[in-house]
Amino acid sequence: MRWLTNFLFSSIGQKVVMSLTGLFLISFLVAHLSGNLQLLIDDGGQQFNQYAKFMTSNPLIKFISFGLYAGILLHAMQGLYIWINNKAARGGKGYAKKVTRAVGTNATAASNMAWWGILILIFLIIHMGDFWFAMKFGGSLEMLTYEGYDEPVKDLFTKVEATFNNPIFVIFYVLAMLGLAAHLLHGFQSAFQSLGLNHPKYTPLIKGIGTFIAVVIPLLFAIIPIFMYFGIYPLSSFLH
Amino acid sequence: MRLTLKVWREGGKYVGQFVDYKVDNISTDMSFLEMLDVLNEQLIQEKETPIAFEHDCREGICGTCSMVINGQPHGPMKSTTTCQLHMRSFNDGDVIYIEPFRAKAFPVIRDLVVNRDSFDRIIQAGGYVSVNTGQAQDANAIPIEKDTSSQAFDAATCIGCGACVAACPNASAMLFTSAKVSHLATMPQGKVEARKRAQSMVKQMDAEGFGKCSNVTACEAECPKGISVTNIAKLNREYMGSVFGSDKVM
Ligand code: HEM
Ligand code: SF4
Ligand code: FES
């Protein structure tokens, strides 16, 4: 297996790992977003609470979520490691004056990937501490039994609602989503380039999709705390 | 034109610092290097050590005239080396910062001169085709489609100047290395050793301490020969092919 470790430790192999974990995390973002939009349903949180119960008890989902934790850890640790290494490759001295131009990507988004990543990481720690930990281990959530269902479920909705009553949290969430937008704006198409997938016909399409998801995913995530803060619940349930 | 120059000086009595110089009567038709020649004449008359900078061809083909001008390797003009940059790109009264290329793998020798042996070692590691000596082959013995040869030629125009490394926030040498790998892998003569080459050149590039590629594309933006980052994608493909598509354990 020497050939494989040689590859994984090479500069190109390290970037291949970043791109594969990054694309995997994007697929998670899409799933997580479609689940969380249920917070904006005007049913007092029933559908969201039942969904949260399903997500924390289904064995297949539990299995996949371990892959996800590993993916985030690997992506974040390797990203920070690469970043520190790259700074060292500069040789310690910067330029007194520096202009960074880019071709076909956004120079500011691209040259600050680690900073966006660190913002996302801080966000993830606070976000998981608030909701994920409360759902998994916290005894502070109230148990509710909905009509027509036997099993009681934890009332995560009320906890989310209370959190987003605090404008500081709302602003923090929106800022973190701006960081995510910048990370994805460069990251999505960059992942394909790292995998060697560059093509005169398809690369423009990939860049278009990248810009689209970099705007739409963070935007939809960001409107959840904003709408909940103002008490706007525009969706209706398809369950009951 | 009258200009203020802030030039990085290192070596001799200078520990590594910017020194301010004023030059006057600069013609807009002068090249940037000729402007520096004027300054150096002035310094010699004042019994000062002239500024060390590299130059050879002064016609944009040798790649030695490395320096960062106002934050851009080879200055503000697109696809142009320092020697081909003319003073008409500047205005009377401008303040111009002149710094050496900065990268751990390009240590400063003196003032604006850096050591780029690391690039030579990357080429030595595999930037060639092995050809048996003997009779020269007939020129058209191997048919090559025009598009293919043009593509290879575009990559082959790299002059090894190192501006890509200087421009990159990670000091990555991927554009340089990829230009050579992709130039040779595109041609039938180079395909023979393509896998071995991708392995050995990337290995040497990593050993020299260059950074990893974040696909910022600052390299392409500053490259005096306009080498495209599509070559980097090709290097990534070639390298992965050499790992996963080969039965050799490398
Ligand atoms: C949901 C979360 C995240 C997603 C979807 C994501 C996605 C991506 C993608 C697609 C790339 C491009 C890979 C490439 O250029 O080949 C990338 C690069 C990067 N990510 Fe993330 N990322 C996330 C979180 C993080 C976190 C938490 C960190 C670290 C603290 C981080 C640090 C980085 C760094 C440093 C790079 C650039 C690596 C380089 O090009 O040198 N990311 N990310
Ligand atoms: S790729 Fe461009 S910038 Fe880099 S060494 Fe070659 S000619 Fe110079
Ligand atoms: S001196 Fe040869 S390229 Fe500038």
Side-chain angles (χ1 to χ4, degrees):
Chain A
M1 296 302 269
R2 250 320 262 285
W3 63 272
L4 187 61
T5 48
N6 279 348
F7 170 71
L8 292 174
F9 284 102
S10 72
S11 55
I12 293 177
Q14 289 182 26
K15 278 307 307 278
V16 167
V17 171
M18 284 306 286
S19 68
L20 292 178
T21 50
L23 290 175
F24 171 60
L25 291 180
I26 291 175
S27 72
F28 148 78
L29 284 182
V30 174
H32 192 49
L33 177 64
S34 49
N36 283 12
L37 283 174
Q38 296 174 92
L39 280 164
L40 296 183
I41 293 174
D42 60 350
D43 65 349
Q46 178 176 351
Q47 186 173 323
F48 177 77
N49 280 340
Q50 282 165 340
Y51 159 78
K53 161 93 182 168
F54 168 75
M55 292 305 276
T56 42
S57 52
N58 183 295
L60 181 66
I61 304 231
K62 269 184 159 166
F63 180 74
I64 295 175
S65 60
F66 279 109
L68 177 68
Y69 306 146
I72 292 180
L73 272 178
L74 182 59
H75 184 86
M77 293 306 125
Q78 179 130 322
L80 293 174
Y81 172 78
I82 290 176
W83 181 53
I84 291 166
N85 257 272
N86 283 345
K87 281 170 97 73
R90 277 249 64 99
K93 276 209 185 75
Y95 295 105
K97 228 177 159 172
K98 181 78 180 102
V99 178
T100 305
R101 294 187 302 175
V103 184
T105 185
N106 182 293
T108 312
S111 38
N112 296 297
M113 284 300 273
W115 290 115
W116 316 130
I118 289 168
L119 178 60
I120 299 169
L121 190 64
I122 294 171
F123 167 80
L124 281 176
I125 292 168
I126 294 177
H127 175 67
M128 288 181 76
D130 270 351
F131 301 140
W132 176 82
F133 190 81
M135 190 64 195
K136 285 244 157 170
F137 309 106
S140 63
L141 298 183
E142 219 174 303
M143 302 299 291
L144 294 176
T145 311
Y146 289 109
E147 229 183 87
Y149 294 87
D150 304 332
E151 276 205 50
V153 296
K154 287 185 181 168
D155 187 12
L156 183 60
F157 178 83
T158 304
K159 164 91 181 151
V160 176
E161 212 178 22
T163 305
F164 292 155
N165 241 332
N166 184 342
I168 306 231
F169 267 93
V170 176
I171 291 167
F172 175 61
Y173 268 63
V174 171
L175 281 181
M177 288 309 112
L178 283 175
L180 178 65
H183 203 76
L184 293 181
L185 187 64
H186 175 67
F188 185 77
Q189 54 85 31
S190 171
F192 288 85
Q193 170 85 357
S194 299
L195 293 171
L197 300 173
N198 180 294
H199 191 280
K201 284 187 210 153
Y202 308 127
T203 299
L205 189 69
I206 290 170
K207 289 191 174 168
I209 296 172
T211 310
F212 178 78
I213 66 162
V215 173
V216 172
I217 295 182
L219 186 72
L220 289 177
F221 269 123
I223 64 169
I224 297 174
I226 297 176
F227 276 29
M228 289 183 82
Y229 179 76
F230 291 110
I232 307 168
Y233 296 94
L235 306 177
S236 44
S237 172
F238 50 81
L239 287 184
H240 39 264
Chain B
M1 290 168 90
R2 203 185 148 78
L3 300 164
T4 305
L5 307 175
K6 292 183 177 291
V7 186
W8 183 266
R9 309 248 14 205
E10 189 170 335
K13 66 172 177 178
Y14 301 104
V15 283
Q17 71 209 69
F18 281 100
V19 179
D20 289 11
Y21 299 102
K22 290 222 181 325
V23 281
D24 209 345
N25 290 326
I26 296 297
S27 148
T28 48
D29 294 336
M30 281 181 185
S31 75
F32 200 84
L33 296 187
E34 285 164 343
M35 183 276 292
L36 286 180
D37 291 337
V38 170
L39 172 60
N40 273 347
E41 288 297 330
Q42 202 173 299
L43 289 178
I44 289 166
Q45 279 175 9
E46 291 164 10
K47 302 234 178 308
E48 278 284 334
T49 344
I51 296 159
F53 64 89
E54 262 189 290
H55 60 103
D56 185 25
C57 71
R58 296 212 177 192
E59 56 183 12
I61 54 170
C62 74
T64 53
C65 51
S66 62
M67 59 189 77
V68 171
I69 303 163
N70 277 344
Q72 286 178 275
H74 294 295
M77 201 162 176
K78 203 174 177 314
S79 305
T80 307
T81 53
T82 304
C83 58
Q84 294 291 293
L85 175 71
H86 286 81
M87 296 315 293
R88 50 183 165 272
S89 297
F90 299 88
N91 298 315
D92 188 32
D94 273 2
V95 177
I96 307 175
Y97 280 80
I98 310 174
E99 304 173 65
F101 283 3
R102 298 240 182 254
K104 202 175 92 197
F106 287 170
V108 173
I109 297 173
R110 193 182 185 105
D111 300 340
L112 304 173
V113 181
V114 296
N115 183 337
R116 282 170 290 186
D117 286 356
S118 47
F119 265 20
D120 295 341
R121 287 187 292 267
I122 293 175
I123 293 293
Q124 280 162 8
Y128 51 79
V129 290
S130 306
V131 181
N132 290 330
T133 51
Q135 280 287 309
Q137 204 182 27
D138 181 77
N140 292 317
I142 307 170
I144 300 166
E145 208 204 337
K146 176 73 179 83
D147 283 352
T148 310
S149 66
S150 299
Q151 206 188 326
F153 185 78
D154 282 348
T157 56
C158 166
I159 51 176
C161 65
C164 41
V165 174
C168 177
N170 306 339
S172 167
M174 282 286 274
L175 193 65
F176 166 76
T177 309
S178 73
K180 191 46 69 194
V181 164
S182 129
H183 154 216
L184 295 175
T186 305
M187 300 296 275
Q189 297 93 328
K191 280 214 170 82
V192 185
E193 294 161 296
R195 284 182 168 157
K196 213 173 89 191
R197 177 182 310 113
Q199 278 287 325
S200 52
M201 288 186 77
V202 169
K203 197 171 164 203
Q204 190 62 37
M205 175 182 84
D206 289 353
E208 297 292 347
F210 290 105
K212 296 150 199 45
C213 177
S214 295
N215 302 319
V216 175
T217 67
C219 51
E220 179 179 331
E222 303 303 344
C223 171
K225 297 294 151 184
I227 302 286
S228 160
V229 292
T230 53
N231 291 300
I232 295 183
K234 187 166 169 79
L235 170 60
N236 291 339
R237 286 200 294 282
E238 290 289 330
Y239 187 72
M240 278 189 272
S242 76
V243 176
F244 297 105
S246 142
D247 52 12
K248 283 221 177 56
V249 181
M250 291 191 275

